[in-house]
Amino acid sequence: LAVLLRHSSKAVRQAASSALERVADATVFDSILDSLDDPIPTIRFSLLGALSHIATDNKALTELQKQKFFLKLDTLLTRDADPGVRSRAATIMGENSGTVALSSLWRRVSAQEDLRVQEKAWTAMVDIIIRQKSLETLLQWDRVLTQATATDRRIALLAEATLQWKKIDELKEVVTIV
C-alpha cells in the first residue's frame, strides 16, 4: 500500500491512503510522511489518519519519528491549502502532542482562519491542557487568554478543567483554585 502512494493515478493513491488509514503501522511511517505532499486534499486527509493510527501505539515510533511527526503536523496546520486537512492536523496534534503544541494551536485559534480549523485547534488545546493535569500550565494559558481578551475561551477552558479535574482524586484540591 505504501508503494501505491506514489502511483500516477489519483484513484490508486486515494484507495491506498484510505486503506492505510485503517491498517498502517510504524514500518510505513516514513512513506506516509513523505506522501503528505500529495496535491489531492482527500489523500492528505487520509494519510493524516494513517499517521494517527500509527501514533496511537506510543511504542511504535522512535523519538526522532515523533519529532518528524510533530513538525509535519505543524506544517500542515499552518500551511496546507485545505481547511479540512488543517482541521485534522489540529485534532491529531491535540491527541498526540504535549504542551509544545499549544503555541502552534493558539496561533490557529487566534488567526484569521477557517472557523472549523479554529474550533479544532481550540479543542486540541483544551485537550492537551486538561491531559497535562498541571495547574501551572492552566494558569499560564489563563494569562494568555486574559491578555488576548478571549474571555469566552478563558471561561470555557476553566470550566472544562474544573469539570474534568474534579473526577481525579489528586486534583480535587486544585479544582477549588481553578
Side-chain angles (χ1 to χ4, degrees), residues 137-158:
T137 301
L138 177 67
L139 293 176
Q140 173 192 355
W141 282 95
D142 180 51
R143 286 187 298 274
V144 170
L145 294 168
T146 299
Q147 290 171 353
T149 62
T151 306
D152 291 346
R153 293 207 188 272
R154 180 177 176 253
I155 292 169
L157 174 62
L158 295 172

Side-chain angles (χ1 to χ4, degrees), residues 24-26 29 48-61 65-66 69-70 73 92 95-97:
D25 64 23
F29 174 82
L48 280 171
L51 286 174
S52 180
H53 183 79
I54 295 168
T56 56
D57 180 4
N58 279 337
K59 297 173 187 167
L61 298 177
Q65 287 174 319
K66 288 177 187 177
F69 181 40
F70 175 75
L73 284 174
I92 293 169
E95 293 168 349
N96 296 288
S97 299

Side-chain angles (χ1 to χ4, degrees), residues 95-155:
E95 293 168 349
N96 296 288
S97 299
T99 56
V100 69
L102 291 171
S103 294
S104 293
L105 290 164
W106 175 245
R107 282 192 294 277
R108 292 295 90 207
V109 171
S110 57
Q112 292 283 61
E113 176 62 91
D114 183 280
L115 185 59
R116 293 172 295 174
V117 179
Q118 285 180 326
E119 290 308 310
K120 292 292 186 174
W122 173 250
T123 300
M125 284 185 68
V126 171
D127 290 347
I128 291 169
I129 293 168
I130 300 301
R131 191 173 58 241
Q132 294 302 309
K133 301 177 189 170
S134 165
L135 180 60
E136 182 180 325
T137 301
L138 177 67
L139 293 176
Q140 173 192 355
W141 282 95
D142 180 51
R143 286 187 298 274
V144 170
L145 294 168
T146 299
Q147 290 171 353
T149 62
T151 306
D152 291 346
R153 293 207 188 272
R154 180 177 176 253
I155 292 169

